[in-house]
């Protein structure tokens, strides 16, 4: 298949692109290479990992609108909010599936720059739906898009199940993801756009985001700095290894369409299904790194939730999803990558 991936220089996208290429699919990706949430050098490193040559000359080519290509992968520097370019790319691409993972991530930052989150996460997604709607029905690609476990807010019914609709957003980021699910359902109902939303649960692993706990904690451990555990360290997270996430996304991409449904829309949790307390997470990272954490406890931050806990029964039943990487194994992979990539002293 030909698969279009938005946000292709992102963490999950890089791993997904690599697996799709290995499986013989043709991947076309684009990313605006924004440095809003973290340094874009890590995004460029991910593209290099996929095999692209990234240097001053190729960056100039990207800025001029040219594509970089290797066998099985084509990359553009492009923004989801540029509807004209998106329209041209989709119209000429002959894609079977579009995977939308482009977004500004992070609950806490969304409180500080809400307008940018709404622009990127909702307006950009709306642009994509409009572009898909404009394609001839027989040529219209299926849509798989990223939602988030944060849509459950402080849901008290655990594990979090897709059938629970009594959920309320606690952050701007969460609100944009709920808006995406709502507008995708509307377009599936009105225009028969085949859309599947995936609620990701705390993804970690090699090339992971620097603004997330595994990265922040390990960096602090190795530099002898203090870490802060919010909610007095009482929070729990359903940490899910990126390899398991990608296996699940590939199953959805390669799975059947939803043409038999009156409304071709669905949403699935994709997580590990085994939440871990923050102190247990820290202790595991201490064992792997051989470093002792210096811990500071603090109250709950705005927009945060006490726990995330995925019920993945539905994804198992429909697509055969089965996470298999435990926290110790996944963090070891992350630690090995981090030490190789950053080569910290000692």
């Amino acid at each position: 298949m030909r698969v279009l991936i938005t946000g292709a220089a992102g963490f999950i996208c890089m791993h997904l692109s690599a697996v799709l290429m290995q499986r013989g699919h043709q991947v076309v990706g684009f990313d605006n290479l924004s440095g809003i949430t973290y340094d874009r050098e890590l995004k460029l490193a991910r593209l290099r990992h996929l095999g692209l040559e990234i240097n001053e000359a190729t960056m100039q080519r990207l800025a001029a609108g040219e594509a970089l290509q290797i066998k099985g992968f084509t990359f553009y520097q492009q923004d989801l909010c540029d509807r004209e370019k998106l329209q041209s790319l989709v119209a000429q691409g002959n894609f079977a599936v579009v995977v939308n993972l482009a977004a500004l991530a992070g609950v806490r930052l969304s409180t500080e720059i809400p307008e940018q989150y709404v622009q990127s996460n909702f307006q950009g997604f709306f642009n994509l739906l409009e572009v898909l709607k404009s394609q001839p029905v027989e040529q219209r690609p299926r849509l798989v898009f990223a939602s988030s476990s944060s849509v459950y807010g402080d849901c008290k019914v655990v594990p979090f199940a897709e059938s629970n609709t009594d959920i309320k957003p606690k952050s701007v980021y969460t609100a944009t993801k709920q808006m995406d699910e709502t507008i995708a359902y509307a377009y599936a109902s009105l225009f028969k756009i085949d859309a599947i939303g995936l609620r990701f649960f705390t993804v970690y692993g090699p090339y992971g985001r620097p603004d997330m706990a595994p990265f922040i904690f390990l960096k602090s451990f190795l530099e002898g700095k203090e870490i802060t555990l919010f909610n007095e360290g009482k929070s729990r997270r359903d940490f899910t290894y990126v390899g398991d996430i990608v296996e699940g996304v590939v199953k959805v991409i390669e799975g059947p369409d939803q043409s038999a449904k009156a409304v071709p829309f669905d949403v699935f949790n994709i997580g590990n299904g085994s939440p871990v307390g923050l102190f247990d997470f820290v202790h595991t990272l201490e064992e792997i790194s051989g470093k002792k954490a210096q811990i500071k406890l603090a109250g709950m931050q705005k927009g945060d939730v006490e726990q995330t806990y995925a019920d993945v029964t539905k994804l198992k039943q429909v697509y055969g999803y089965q996470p298999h990487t435990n926290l110790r194994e996944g963090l070891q992979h992350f630690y090995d990558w981090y030490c190789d990539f950053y080569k910290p002293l000692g």
Side-chain angles (χ1 to χ4, degrees):
M1 293 189 293
R2 284 178 60 80
V3 180
L4 175 63
I5 297 180
T6 75
F11 166 40
I12 299 172
C13 293
M14 184 210 77
H15 291 279
L16 176 61
S17 296
V19 171
L20 290 175
M21 290 160 61
Q22 291 167 4
R23 295 176 69 84
H25 300 298
Q26 296 293 312
V27 178
V28 177
F30 70 81
D31 196 295
N32 65 4
L33 299 177
S34 164
I36 293 176
T37 52
Y38 56 88
D39 191 336
R40 76 173 192 165
E41 285 303 314
L42 182 56
K43 297 182 178 181
L44 300 181
R46 294 177 185 138
L47 296 177
R48 292 189 184 98
H49 182 73
L50 288 173
L52 292 180
E53 184 178 357
I54 303 295
N55 53 42
E56 186 176 343
T58 55
M59 290 299 291
Q60 290 176 353
R61 287 171 53 196
L62 285 173
E66 295 183 40
L68 300 183
Q69 288 182 295
I70 55 173
K71 184 179 180 181
F73 185 63
T74 303
F75 178 79
Y76 296 90
Q77 184 173 352
Q78 187 171 313
D79 197 306
L80 195 61
C81 292
D82 189 332
R83 190 187 296 188
E84 184 176 339
K85 287 185 178 179
L86 183 61
Q87 178 82 41
S88 176
L89 184 59
V90 172
Q92 299 173 32
N94 191 30
F95 299 113
V97 182
V98 173
V99 183
N100 182 59
L101 300 185
L104 282 180
V107 166
R108 296 163 190 165
L109 184 60
S110 71
T111 304
E112 300 173 18
I113 51 172
E115 185 175 353
Q116 293 185 56
Y117 272 75
V118 173
Q119 178 71 13
S120 174
N121 297 4
F122 181 72
Q123 184 61 52
F125 186 66
F126 174 74
N127 286 346
L128 179 57
L129 290 172
E130 278 289 290
V131 167
L132 293 179
K133 184 187 77 172
S134 72
Q135 305 307 302
V137 175
E138 65 278 4
Q139 299 174 19
R140 186 179 292 161
R142 293 165 51 225
L143 172 63
V144 178
F145 67 94
S147 186
S148 170
S149 63
S150 65
V151 300
Y152 290 103
D154 267 329
C155 180
K156 302 305 180 185
V157 181
V158 293
F160 299 167
E162 299 90 342
S163 58
N164 189 347
T165 57
D166 184 24
I167 51 182
K168 299 176 178 65
K170 290 196 66 179
S171 70
V172 174
Y173 171 72
T174 301
T176 63
K177 289 302 181 181
Q178 284 190 280
M179 290 159 65
D180 287 350
E181 289 186 11
T182 301
I183 195 71
Y185 180 89
Y187 270 62
S189 178
L190 291 168
F191 309 114
K192 304 305 177 186
I193 292 176
D194 189 327
I196 290 178
L198 296 175
R199 292 173 177 169
F200 292 104
F201 280 72
T202 317
V203 189
Y204 73 99
Y207 288 92
R209 283 169 37 205
D211 60 326
M212 294 188 69
F215 204 111
I216 293 171
F217 289 177
L218 180 56
K219 184 174 186 293
S220 297
F221 284 13
L222 297 177
E223 294 177 354
K225 295 180 179 179
E226 185 179 72
I227 64 170
T228 300
L229 299 186
F230 295 102
N231 193 29
E232 307 297 327
K234 299 173 185 176
S235 298
R236 300 197 305 164
R237 292 290 180 267
D238 198 340
F239 292 101
T240 312
Y241 185 65
V242 67
D244 292 341
I245 288 285
V246 167
E247 285 185 22
V249 177
V250 170
K251 287 180 181 295
V252 175
I253 290 171
E254 295 181 344
D257 64 31
Q258 302 182 98
S259 56
K261 291 184 176 182
V263 178
F265 173 87
D266 216 335
V267 64
F268 295 89
N269 291 334
I270 181 165
N272 191 56
S274 182
V276 176
L278 285 185
F279 280 110
D280 291 334
F281 178 86
V282 169
H283 293 330
T284 303
L285 201 53
E286 284 178 325
E287 292 172 4
I288 291 171
S289 66
K291 302 290 185 180
K292 186 68 176 175
Q294 302 174 44
I295 298 174
K296 173 187 175 183
L297 300 180
M300 182 76 80
Q301 281 210 318
K302 271 187 179 180
D304 264 354
V305 296
E306 291 192 7
Q307 67 176 334
T308 61
Y309 184 178
D311 181 343
V312 293
T313 304
K314 184 177 174 183
L315 193 60
K316 287 180 179 179
Q317 291 175 341
V318 178
Y319 289 101
Y321 170 72
Q322 184 63 57
H324 52 78
T325 308
N326 63 44
L327 182 67
R328 182 68 169 74
E329 180 185 356
L331 282 179
Q332 184 69 59
H333 292 322
F334 172 69
Y335 174 77
D336 292 343
W337 166 79
Y338 186 98
C339 290
D340 180 66
F341 188 80
Y342 289 101
K343 296 180 174 59
L345 293 176

